[in-house]
């Protein structure tokens, strides 16, 4: 398996984990202290649950783009994936920045490492794919 394929799969796994967390928040998991700066500890209110679903969908879309750019799925998307991969890289960089500066210690401890993995793997796919 090539380095690009491995990086694509690593990104997809990290994105799937983050998306599952967002879906759990949307369904009422009491993990609000680990998201959105910890502003809503416990269960998210309804508007934030909708935001969590949107976040999960974005993460899923980014995973598809990275996997397409890595050549692991949707070969027809190759032309679009060659520039959309930079959206995934930018999203991952912003995620790392925001998770690094949050006032929520729990959020920093959990999500900074995930954001680092997502940034590194998306960048690898962007540069090597």
């Amino acid at each position: 398996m090539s380095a690009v394929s491995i990086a694509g799969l690593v990104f997809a796994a990290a994105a799937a984990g983050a998306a599952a967390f967002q879906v759990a928040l949307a369904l009422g998991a009491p993990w609000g202290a680990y998201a959105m700066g910890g502003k809503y500890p416990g269960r998210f209110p309804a508007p934030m649950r909708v935001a969590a679903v949107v976040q999960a969908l974005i993460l899923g879309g980014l995973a598809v783009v990275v996997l397409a750019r890595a050549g692991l799925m949707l070969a027809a998307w190759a032309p679009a994936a060659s520039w959309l991969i930079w959206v995934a890289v930018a999203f991952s960089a912003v995620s790392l920045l925001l998770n690094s500066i949050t006032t929520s210690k729990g959020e920093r401890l959990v999500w900074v490492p995930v954001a680092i993995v997502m940034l590194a793997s998306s960048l690898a796919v962007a540069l090597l794919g």
Side-chain angles (χ1 to χ4, degrees), residues 81-126:
S82 67
W83 63 269
L84 283 172
I85 186 66
W86 294 106
V87 174
V89 171
F91 181 91
S92 299
V94 170
S95 175
L96 176 56
L97 174 66
L98 294 177
N99 282 299
S100 296
I101 65 172
T102 181
T103 57
S104 168
K105 183 179 179 182
E107 189 173 358
R108 280 192 313 275
L109 289 172
V110 172
W111 296 112
V112 166
V114 174
I116 290 169
V117 166
M118 291 178 73
L119 178 57
S121 58
S122 64
L123 190 57
V125 171

Side-chain angles (χ1 to χ4, degrees), residues 19-98:
F21 175 80
Q22 293 296 329
V23 169
L25 287 172
L27 293 174
W31 303 331
Y34 297 94
M36 299 296 184
K39 185 175 179 180
Y40 305 99
R43 291 189 163 97
F44 271 5
M48 294 310 297
R49 289 182 185 201
V50 172
V53 170
V54 170
Q55 179 85 0
L57 292 172
I58 290 169
L59 287 162
L62 292 173
V64 169
V65 167
V66 172
L67 290 170
R69 177 65 176 153
L72 295 172
M73 66 182 298
L74 301 174
W77 280 33
S82 67
W83 63 269
L84 283 172
I85 186 66
W86 294 106
V87 174
V89 171
F91 181 91
S92 299
V94 170
S95 175
L96 176 56
L97 174 66
L98 294 177

